[in-house]
Amino acid sequence: MNILVVDDHALFREGLAMVLRQLDPDARVQEAGTAAQARRVLATPPPPDLLLIDLALPDMDGLALLRELRGEGMDCPVAVVSASDEPALVRDALAAGAQTFIPKSTHSGDMLTGLRQVLAGRDWLPAPVRRALRQRETRQQPILTQRQADILALLCEGCSNGEISERLSISTHTVKFHLATLFRLLEARNRTECVARARALGLPQAPNQT
């Protein structure tokens, strides 16, 4: 098994490498302290079976790096490991393509349990993170107008602006206006994040096209 740990603190990387070898005593654990170093490692075969990445890298935001790597076709499981456990940050990491978000305060045994789930192809979050997400979602679920709800439902179906316009018999300008409002209400920066957050809140419903 090939594992890459990307974190700017050498002591943390070394400690994490020792924990990760409990997944596989023969695991090859490589380390990178910056996004640039991570890219150099990733450019050399074989590709990693698991990538663990911190968000606070000295040369690049970890989420930005993750988005770039996913955009370039990297398909290995990714665990974000961070000193922060803010729900908004967790949602951003999952929307960017991470399979799990593990606060650095997590017990090593729980981390190993979660990483085994991720390596088996399943998403996983520590129980405290799941609880925090549920509390935030319950507290901050936005109230949508019927038109906003209809557009959101079609967006979650994968419809383009033109398709939404046609199905709801409204102009594309109106679609764009409502999408901008939805992005603001759901704290999303793009369509992918908007869909991910809407589904997490249980918002998408069948559009009313009568």
Side-chain angles (χ1 to χ4, degrees):
M1 180 187 299
N2 295 301
I3 303 174
L4 174 58
V5 177
V6 186
D7 191 285
D8 62 333
H9 290 95
L11 188 60
F12 179 79
R13 293 198 308 269
E14 292 168 4
L16 186 55
M18 294 177 62
V19 173
L20 292 171
R21 288 192 176 92
Q22 296 180 48
L23 290 172
D24 179 358
D26 298 321
R28 179 190 184 209
V29 181
Q30 295 179 280
E31 301 176 20
T34 66
Q37 290 174 4
R39 283 197 166 278
R40 286 196 291 272
V41 173
L42 291 168
T44 305
D49 300 297
L50 176 65
L51 170 63
L52 293 94
I53 184 170
D54 185 23
L55 299 182
L57 300 176
D59 57 341
M60 186 177 189
D61 177 73
L63 278 183
L65 175 61
L66 176 55
R67 292 188 188 100
E68 285 189 1
L69 293 174
R70 287 302 194 206
E72 294 164 8
M74 186 195 73
D75 59 0
C76 76
V78 174
V80 167
V81 183
S82 175
S84 173
D85 59 358
E86 285 294 321
L89 194 58
V90 175
R91 293 190 306 178
D92 285 345
L94 299 178
Q99 277 66 50
T100 186
F101 187 104
I102 304 176
K104 289 184 177 180
S105 58
T106 303
H107 188 277
S108 62
D110 292 335
M111 174 183 287
L112 290 171
T113 296
L115 292 178
R116 290 188 180 100
Q117 292 291 316
V118 167
L119 287 168
R122 294 183 285 271
D123 294 343
W124 177 86
L125 289 172
V129 173
R130 292 198 306 272
R131 285 195 296 270
L133 283 176
R134 283 197 298 268
Q135 290 170 359
R136 179 183 173 90
E137 288 162 0
T138 300
R139 185 172 63 250
Q140 297 193 356
Q141 182 166 346
I143 299 174
L144 305 181
T145 66
Q146 184 60 55
R147 180 63 77 200
Q148 290 166 351
D150 291 343
I151 290 174
L152 180 59
L154 292 174
L155 183 67
C156 290
E157 289 181 14
C159 293
S160 66
N161 287 1
E163 290 168 334
I164 294 173
S165 170
E166 181 178 350
R167 289 179 63 174
L168 296 180
S169 300
I170 58 177
S171 70
T172 55
H173 176 77
T174 300
V175 173
K176 291 177 182 178
F177 171 80
H178 285 299
L179 283 177
T181 302
L182 287 168
F183 286 4
R184 177 176 55 80
L185 290 173
L186 294 173
E187 301 177 11
R189 287 169 292 188
N190 52 50
R191 299 168 79 95
T192 300
E193 286 188 6
C194 186
V195 169
R197 293 179 180 181
R199 286 176 174 161
L201 291 169
L203 287 175
Q205 304 291 331
N208 180 3
Q209 301 176 60
T210 59

